[in-house]
Amino acid sequence: MARRNYLTLAAAGWGRSMSAYPERMSLSLSKHPSFSGRPGPVLVVVADGVGVAPPGASNAVTEAVTPTLDLLTSGELYTELAAHGPAVGLPTDDDMGNSEVGHNALGAGRIFEQGAKLVNKAMADGSIFQTDVWREAVDHGRIGTLHLIGLHSDGGVHSTNEQLYQLLHRAADDGVTSCAVHLLHDGRDVPARSALGYIEATEAVLAEINGAGDGRDFRIASGGGRMRITMDRYGADWPMVERGYRTHVFGEGRRVASATEAVETMYGETDRGDQYLGEFVVERNLGDGGEPAGTIVDGDAVIFFNFRGDRAIEISQAFEDDHFDHFDRTGPDGESRPNVFYAGMLQYDGDLEVPTQYLVNPPAIDRTMGEFLCAEGVTSFAISETQKFGHVTYFWNGNKSGYIEEALETYIEIPSDNVEFDTTPAMKVREITDETIDLLRSGEYRFGRLNFPSGDMVGHTGHLPATVEAMEIIDESMAKLVEVIDELDGVLIYTADHGNADIMFTESDGVRSPKTSHTLSPVPFAIHDPNYDGEYHVTGAAPGPAHGLANVAATVFNLLGYEAPDDYLPSIINF
């Protein structure tokens, strides 16, 4: 059953209406001089993780039978968009896009420097280490232990090890003698079984730091797979956060002599990728009455070093919130949760102020598409299932929680199943489609947006047949949506936020290796307009995308009969 009115966000405390912001009242749009829009609604479909790559055995998008998508992407009103690197506010063209920055760009209509780039700049100029937050964390680390928790890879979607290493070196330079790293295996934005290489590199950094100063004790203390512990989002699996909290804080988990031993042992027990590996705790003098290498106790400091917000909010609440009720934070011997100084790399939710302490200011995204539409009185809806619900609401609205104007908007969440998504490749695509059709036919909404999550979530499993099936179900659903748009004389936009399903494995010497990460591929952009009679044309045809995701917002304004704001990136269509 669908949940209306952002119940998941409200349950997490995300619910303040943005109508309280007076600056919205000054926003306005001008009518388009030659196009007043179609009689029916404009619908944007974001097929998450569906990039454009050459056909081949590794491309689940082209391996699938998708007659509806084939028609959309071969028509006159089709082009491709850049969805990675500087086009979405990331540092370089080597940086993969992701759902957060993709939906930020779609909703904002402009390019804002994103977390990775902001942190890199703050580290390069040293400003991150001049903040009161860093100084206080170091002060706690000089007396007790500084704990660093985060995703352990160079994937660049949620974190980078290079940023972790800079934190470690600076902490040592600033006099911290005890530092515990609590690592979360990736295997999702990087190769599925790459954890051992990252652990080896980190152990070398720790050994270098320890060898350069007397009495230093920098070590790996605990860890586990990112889809097993700590990094839940949107309230989908609070027990996952609890497992992480109890692992990092109280040392509950499989006891091992080292992180390497933990991974090697689990590799021998399962063929699953790093993201699903169980939790572990490094124990000093294992088997000889030893103790965990880094439990979190009163007076310690904790820094969560992910820069991306969605999977950092819940663990931050677990550390910070005095009125937290999602699980019991009492220790195994009845001890209270420790009183620690907690900070994030960034503030992950500006409305909720989660966390209250952070090292780098997040991007300040203002004047979003939704704010302009609400100012014009345009009714709209946003819908997805739990796994991507925040992307069409929170991220689309510029990292702001709740409604912009509740009287004009409806947000609908279809609860996700708590399963491994290659076992249910349909996910909730059919349910999202059925609910969207009801919304469209109600006649209440001029604009709608939805996210089909399966190209990304199933693609991340590395399971090619399941991802092919996911694409075919998306195609089936798109056929239904096209039919309704035709019925209502509306317009449908089909696009994506980044690549993933388009490259499912790499091959070397005849050996295939699953690719679970996002790709650097462009994404499709197609308009289906049953009343199209040549009034406008799509610009930026191949080769190479001339536009990026941030150009979509101006296009939506045009198709609704408005001119885009002057500072928005140009529309993909011209008249």
Side-chain angles (χ1 to χ4, degrees):
M1 178 179 294
R3 299 175 182 169
R4 291 182 181 265
N5 300 349
Y6 60 97
L7 287 188
T8 291
L9 299 188
W14 302 22
R16 180 153 55 106
S17 172
M18 285 164 55
S19 61
Y21 293 84
E23 61 269 22
R24 189 185 63 77
M25 305 305 294
S26 64
L27 302 180
S28 64
L29 296 170
S30 299
K31 295 293 186 180
H32 196 278
S34 63
F35 187 74
S36 59
R38 300 302 186 200
V42 173
L43 176 68
V44 175
V45 177
V46 180
D48 211 294
V50 179
V52 179
S58 73
N59 190 336
V61 179
T62 56
E63 288 293 285
V65 178
T66 55
T68 302
L69 295 180
D70 292 346
L71 281 173
L72 286 170
T73 57
S74 61
E76 179 181 347
L77 300 179
Y78 174 75
T79 188
E80 295 169 5
L81 306 177
H84 75 284
V88 288
L90 298 173
T92 74
D93 279 323
D94 294 328
D95 294 300
M96 298 177 294
N98 61 67
S99 296
E100 173 188 10
V101 300
H103 286 78
N104 276 168
L106 287 166
R110 292 147 293 155
I111 298 170
F112 289 83
E113 291 187 342
Q114 290 289 339
K117 192 169 185 177
L118 294 171
V119 175
N120 284 346
K121 288 176 67 173
M123 287 186 167
D125 65 20
S127 59
I128 189 173
F129 303 118
Q130 305 306 316
T131 62
D132 291 340
V133 173
W134 175 256
R135 293 188 183 104
E136 185 162 354
V138 165
D139 286 344
H140 282 260
R142 292 191 187 110
I143 299 169
T145 295
L146 173 64
H147 299 266
L148 301 176
I149 306 174
L151 189 64
H152 189 237
S153 79
D154 59 3
V157 175
H158 293 264
S159 67
T160 70
N161 278 2
E162 180 55 37
Q163 292 176 359
L164 167 64
Y165 299 159
Q166 290 189 58
L167 293 177
L168 288 166
H169 280 292
R170 183 56 183 250
D173 291 344
D174 286 349
V176 172
T177 57
S178 176
C179 183
V181 179
H182 305 263
L183 55 87
L184 304 170
H185 307 308
D186 193 344
R188 186 178 179 91
D189 300 323
V190 294
R193 284 195 160 196
S194 53
L196 289 173
Y198 294 122
I199 292 169
E200 181 181 6
T202 298
E203 292 281 18
V205 170
L206 297 173
E208 177 188 355
I209 291 172
N210 288 334
D214 292 339
R216 289 180 181 171
D217 184 13
F218 282 53
R219 71 277 188 193
I220 295 173
S222 74
R226 58 179 285 180
M227 296 301 286
R228 170 68 185 172
I229 63 171
T230 310
M231 280 179 59
D232 182 45
R233 65 180 176 195
Y234 307 148
D237 189 358
W238 277 104
M240 176 176 160
V241 184
E242 180 178 12
R243 285 192 297 270
Y245 183 85
R246 302 191 74 82
T247 298
H248 309 317
V249 174
F250 299 120
E252 296 183 10
R254 179 198 293 245
R255 295 293 177 89
V256 293
S258 68
T260 297
E261 178 189 296
V263 172
E264 289 177 341
T265 300
M266 286 185 251
Y267 279 178
E269 297 170 345
T270 177
D271 60 0
R272 303 172 86 188
D274 297 333
Q275 60 182 316
Y276 300 113
L277 296 182
E279 56 271 32
F280 70 87
V281 175
V282 175
E283 181 177 311
R284 301 181 193 272
N285 303 315
L286 184 67
D288 190 25
E291 295 293 331
T295 55
I296 299 174
V297 300
D298 285 349
D300 286 351
V302 178
I303 293 176
F304 198 77
F305 62 82
N306 285 15
F307 48 70
R308 175 168 161 171
D310 55 348
R311 293 189 181 275
I313 291 172
E314 291 172 33
I315 188 64
S316 297
Q317 291 174 317
F319 273 103
E320 278 200 332
D321 191 350
D322 290 335
H323 305 289
F324 186 85
D325 60 3
H326 295 287
F327 57 80
D328 184 1
R329 295 176 292 181
T330 304
D333 298 320
E335 63 269 37
S336 300
R337 70 181 177 104
N339 181 15
V340 301
F341 177 78
Y342 181 85
M345 184 70 90
L346 282 80
Q347 187 168 64
Y348 305 124
D349 187 310
D351 281 357
L352 289 180
E353 298 182 348
V354 176
T356 56
Q357 306 288 342
Y358 50 95
L359 293 170
V360 179
N361 289 323
I365 301 175
D366 63 350
R367 304 171 63 256
T368 63
M369 177 200 300
E371 292 175 79
F372 277 102
L373 293 180
C374 283
E376 292 295 329
V378 175
T379 53
S380 68
F381 66 83
I383 180 171
S384 189
E385 64 177 277
T386 305
Q387 287 292 333
K388 298 291 182 177
F389 177 59
H391 292 74
V392 290
T393 54
Y394 172 75
F395 288 126
W396 193 285
N397 289 337
N399 303 339
K400 298 181 179 69
S401 304
Y403 285 109
I404 297 170
E405 184 57 66
E406 189 168 356
L408 295 170
E409 300 177 290
T410 296
Y411 297 166
I412 296 182
E413 174 201 355
I414 308 293
S416 292
D417 294 326
N418 190 7
V419 297
E420 294 178 23
F421 296 113
D422 57 340
T423 66
T424 56
M427 295 189 66
K428 299 298 181 181
V429 168
R430 293 185 175 112
E431 291 86 343
I432 294 168
T433 301
D434 291 343
E435 189 76 25
T436 299
I437 289 171
D438 288 344
L439 292 164
L440 293 170
R441 284 182 171 154
S442 74
E444 297 177 14
Y445 303 99
R446 184 84 179 96
F447 172 63
R449 57 188 184 267
L450 67 83
N451 182 296
F452 284 147
S454 51
D456 186 51
M457 301 304 293
V458 181
H460 274 309
T461 70
H463 194 290
L464 178 62
T467 311
V468 169
E469 183 178 347
M471 289 304 308
E472 292 178 348
I473 293 166
I474 289 174
D475 189 81
E476 163 200 311
S477 295
M478 287 295 297
K480 295 179 179 179
L481 293 173
V482 165
E483 181 179 352
V484 173
I485 288 294
D486 289 350
E487 169 194 322
L488 299 175
D489 289 325
V491 180
L492 181 148
I493 292 174
Y494 169 74
T495 190
D497 53 348
H498 57 78
N500 185 337
D502 47 295
I503 304 176
M504 293 295 297
F505 63 79
T506 58
E507 194 163 6
S508 177
D509 297 327
V511 178
R512 291 181 176 180
S513 300
K515 181 177 175 62
T516 58
S517 68
H518 296 172
T519 70
L520 299 175
S521 302
V523 298
F525 178 88
I527 297 173
H528 174 74
D529 180 352
N531 292 304
Y532 178 68
D533 192 27
E535 304 96 319
Y536 56 86
H537 302 279
V538 165
T539 61
H547 299 298
L549 292 176
N551 296 85
V552 171
T555 312
V556 170
F557 286 137
N558 288 171
L559 292 172
L560 286 167
Y562 295 101
E563 290 190 288
D566 290 341
D567 60 340
Y568 269 47
L569 293 187
S571 175
I572 300 165
I573 59 176
N574 58 29
F575 293 84

